[in-house]
Amino acid sequence: RAPPTSIFLRRALSYRNVFLLRSSPLLSRDLRQCNPEPPHRVLSLPGLEFFRESRRGFAKGRNQKKEKEEESASSTVEILPNMGPTIKANATSHMEAAIAALTAELSKLRTGRAAPGMLDHIIVETGGVKLPLHQIAAVSVIDSKTLSIHPFDSTAISSLETAIVESPLGLNPKVDWDRLVGCSYSPVSRHLIAICKVVTKSSEDGKQSIRRARQKAMDTIKKLTKNYSKDDLKRWEKEVDELTKKLVKTAEELCKAKEKEISSG
């Protein structure tokens, strides 16, 4: 009995001989003569061209689709809204509101005639709560030099008196039953100095409000770091800083004008 290796060699040689015979030109000619059926037709030239054009069209369509996706992505980046004007507009609104509040506060300070609004800035502590004077008492004018302060709650009259005496206005009210009267309002030197201190405090309060608006705008800009370039962020910060300086200067000029008015009597 032959070993398995010799069997595999004989089979391989027999397959090789068959392959060589089939590839022989003479045998191929004889086989064609014996087999009348025509050989299988290969793909013609027009068919090959159609196949090639189809593949080219498919590749071209895929490239166009990829280009459209890239253009869509790039257009998404380009249509980001310009947040600079919005941030500046919001900051301007808050800062101008601070200037308006400062102007209203300064308009209440007069040296020639008593006015109810001159006591609005005084803070009164009553019942463990601090409130502006105009929220716990009604102020009216008796004459050009005297004011009447009538508390809504008569138990708060002592707190009112203490707050008015300790205020920088230098007024000395007297208790008259359930109200305070006789707040002398004369343009003496000590009183003018006290009024100027009130102006200074109002100026600082106004500038602090402007700076708070600036800080709020800067915080908003910082939140946009991931979506906008550094150049855009720096430009917006510069615009907010310039706006802040401009309105701080306006507040200072208002207070200087008021101090000059007070000093001139």
Side-chain angles (χ1 to χ4, degrees), residues 238-254:
K238 184 178 179 181
E239 291 176 355
V240 172
D241 281 335
E242 290 175 352
L243 178 65
T244 303
K245 292 178 181 178
K246 178 182 177 181
L247 292 182
V248 166
K249 185 178 179 181
T250 300
E252 291 174 348
E253 290 175 350
L254 286 173

Side-chain angles (χ1 to χ4, degrees), residues 1 19 29 48 59 64 81 128 151 172 182 185 187 210 213 228 256-257:
R1 186 176 180 181
F19 177 74
R29 185 182 59 188
L48 286 173
Q64 289 178 350
N172 295 308
Y185 189 73
I210 293 171
Y228 292 88
K256 287 180 180 179

Side-chain angles (χ1 to χ4, degrees), residues 196-215:
C196 288
K197 288 182 180 179
V198 175
V199 173
T200 302
K201 184 179 182 302
S202 299
S203 174
E204 290 301 321
D205 292 343
K207 288 188 286 187
Q208 285 180 6
S209 297
I210 293 171
R211 293 187 183 105
R212 282 195 295 270
R214 174 194 174 277
Q215 187 59 48

Side-chain angles (χ1 to χ4, degrees), residues 25 41 44 67 76 97 107 109 111-112 121 134 147-148 179 182 184 233-234 240 246 251 256:
R41 305 177 92 184
S44 63
E67 290 175 358
T76 303
S107 66
L109 300 176
T111 57
H121 68 279
H134 65 86
L147 293 174
S148 173
R179 66 175 183 171
S184 177
L233 299 177
K234 288 181 179 179
V240 172
K246 178 182 177 181
K256 287 180 180 179

